[in-house]
Amino acid sequence: MAIDDTDILVSGGGIAGLITAAAFGSAGRSVICVDPAPPVTEESAQGSDLRSTAFLQPSIPVLQAAGLWERLAPHATPLQIMRIIDAGGKLSQARLTREFDASEISDQPFGWNLPNWLLKREISARLTGLQNLRFLPGTGTAGLVVRDSEALVTLTDGCRIRARLVIGADGRNSPVRQALGIGVRTFRYGQKALAFAVTHERPHGNVSTEIHRWGGPFTLVPLPDRGGKPSSAVVWLERGTEIARLRALPREEFEVELNRRSAGVLGHLTQATRLTEWPIISQIADRFTGPRTALIAEAAHVVPPIGAQGLNMSLADLASLLDLSSDDPGSARSLAAYERRRRPEAMARLIGIDALNRASMISARPLRDLRAATLGGLYAVSPVRRILMRAGLGAA
């Protein structure tokens, strides 16, 4: 069977993989992107991803270079303020509120939020306009043989591809990572997350709100109005048994629990979409590279959805790969530099987010009080507050 040649093969057609394909295609590389499942690009369709993604400031140049930001910007909701609320007292109500305003460190918002199903729609449309790119939804990676000079990929339809660089963007159970024999270190919390959209009485004012009580953070992220009403995306982390209980409730009883957990910060919340659920872990690959192969996104690192870090870490991976691939993509020199640049930074962020998640899960009252006092103390010192904000953007 004939072998097709390409500069870049991207294994994985999730949001990170699609953006990676668009970025390398826009840079003039020949690209093939494969994924076993076609992207679901309508909110109401079966299997649609009802989560949302906040692109922080450092990610915008990556999207611009990929020819994506002009498509995404009209649908994006700015995140001007990150509000953290501690509701860990006897009652489910805010007892400590701290707001981090982007205007303290920048003339731009912290980031911009978009629904994941819409991202897949707009990025897929961009891929169709790149003549040097082939997107093959419904086709996955079945085999990988790597050499110093090239990588040979066998697809699930039997086709074979010779690539200068294979990018594994194929998720936390990455076939590319497994083919390379790269292990992972996994941290488990016994948590799951519910993701869905709500409407609410009060406008969100471009404020993203993270509410800490116990079990994990409850986050409200601004979305465009829905049916003339203010709307936000919800990411609700809880222990797995509690998520199972919540999902089994009739809709009216679920909304009672929803409004109790939200501490009333946006007035009454009304569920606007179905509930989607996924397990929460932290995970990091033992290596991010192999011969002619690089791992990015959840193939390399997985973190809980706190502080909008997940996909923004993935786009930092992509930015590094683009920067280091200007000559020979997949060369030993460029991949060694990628490993040195990205894995230590990803590990540091994973450790920090792991600590924040475990702090948010605390159920003992004295420790919840300590959590609130720590937040108040850090916020009160202006230089520390600004350092924390820059670090959250990836600028420190």
Side-chain angles (χ1 to χ4, degrees):
M1 180 179 292
I3 298 177
D4 287 343
D5 288 291
T6 189
D7 289 331
I8 311 293
L9 185 134
V10 180
S11 178
I15 293 172
L18 295 176
I19 294 174
T20 298
F24 276 97
S26 298
R29 298 292 185 182
S30 58
V31 179
I32 296 174
C33 179
V34 300
D35 193 276
V40 180
T41 57
E42 296 295 333
E43 181 183 60
S44 60
Q46 183 67 29
S48 62
D49 187 345
L50 297 183
R51 293 173 292 177
S52 67
T53 293
F55 291 106
L56 300 179
Q57 284 183 25
S59 294
I60 303 306
V62 180
L63 298 175
Q64 290 171 331
L68 291 169
W69 186 237
E70 63 185 24
R71 301 186 66 95
L72 299 176
H75 307 285
T77 304
L79 307 178
Q80 182 63 35
I81 293 174
M82 300 293 191
R83 176 191 293 147
I84 298 179
I85 292 176
D86 190 283
K90 184 176 181 180
L91 301 176
S92 183
Q93 60 188 30
R95 62 173 181 169
L96 179 71
T97 301
R98 294 293 183 259
E99 294 187 349
F100 297 83
D101 193 326
S103 65
E104 288 194 54
I105 60 171
S106 174
D107 60 359
Q108 294 290 315
F110 284 116
W112 292 262
N113 195 51
L114 295 103
N116 283 9
W117 63 266
L118 186 146
L119 285 170
K120 292 179 181 179
R121 184 189 74 191
E122 295 301 316
I123 302 168
S124 297
R126 167 62 177 161
L127 298 189
T128 63
L130 291 168
Q131 299 301 312
N132 53 328
L133 187 150
R134 284 188 287 162
F135 180 33
L136 306 176
T139 304
T141 301
L144 173 65
V145 176
V146 292
R147 303 167 180 165
D148 290 340
S149 59
E150 62 190 15
L152 295 174
V153 181
T154 302
L155 304 181
T156 52
D157 62 2
C159 291
R160 300 180 70 199
I161 309 295
R162 179 165 43 221
R164 298 169 70 186
L165 173 63
V166 171
I167 299 175
D170 42 5
R172 59 185 66 182
N173 298 313
S174 167
V176 168
R177 189 187 66 229
Q178 292 175 19
L180 293 170
I182 297 175
V184 294
R185 184 180 180 189
T186 303
F187 305 80
R188 303 189 185 277
Y189 308 100
Q191 287 174 305
K192 291 188 176 181
L194 291 179
F196 54 102
V198 297
T199 57
H200 37 83
E201 293 176 319
R202 301 174 194 155
H204 51 60
N206 297 335
V207 178
S208 179
T209 303
E210 202 170 85
I211 303 167
H212 297 260
R213 187 162 172 77
W214 58 63
F218 177 100
T219 306
L220 291 155
V221 190
L223 290 173
D225 288 358
R226 178 186 289 265
K229 297 179 181 179
S231 180
S232 293
V234 173
V235 181
W236 186 352
L237 273 66
E238 271 290 359
R239 297 187 184 276
T241 52
E242 177 65 3
I243 291 294
R245 183 188 75 83
L246 291 168
R247 292 207 68 174
L249 293 174
R251 189 182 183 106
E252 295 78 10
E253 294 180 29
F254 176 79
E255 284 200 359
V256 171
E257 296 285 351
L258 169 65
N259 281 281
R260 181 181 294 119
R261 186 63 179 85
S262 72
V265 296
L266 292 177
H268 184 79
L269 306 184
T270 300
Q271 182 184 341
T273 65
R274 74 181 190 282
L275 306 179
T276 59
E277 174 186 327
W278 80 100
I280 299 301
I281 63 170
S282 291
Q283 182 171 280
I284 190 162
D286 295 338
R287 292 183 287 113
F288 283 11
T289 62
R292 291 286 164 179
T293 313
L295 303 178
I296 71 166
E298 289 202 341
H301 44 72
V302 183
V303 295
I306 296 175
Q309 293 299 302
L311 189 61
N312 290 280
M313 290 171 64
S314 305
L315 295 193
D317 297 339
L318 171 57
S320 290
L321 273 183
L322 286 166
D323 178 49
L324 296 167
S325 299
S326 57
D327 183 15
D328 177 12
S331 69
R333 178 193 57 79
S334 66
L335 290 176
Y338 173 71
E339 178 83 23
R340 290 193 302 270
R341 184 182 298 182
R342 289 304 303 150
R343 192 176 184 282
E345 201 276 341
M347 176 61 88
R349 287 195 176 267
L350 183 149
I351 291 170
I353 295 166
D354 172 81
L356 290 172
N357 188 40
R358 293 184 189 279
S360 187
M361 294 174 67
I362 290 170
S363 58
R365 179 68 181 275
L367 293 177
R368 299 203 311 268
D369 293 344
L370 177 61
R371 179 184 66 198
T374 301
L375 171 61
L378 291 173
Y379 180 88
V381 182
S382 295
V384 173
R385 184 171 67 248
R386 295 188 185 99
I387 288 170
L388 290 173
M389 286 191 281
R390 292 191 182 97
L393 290 177

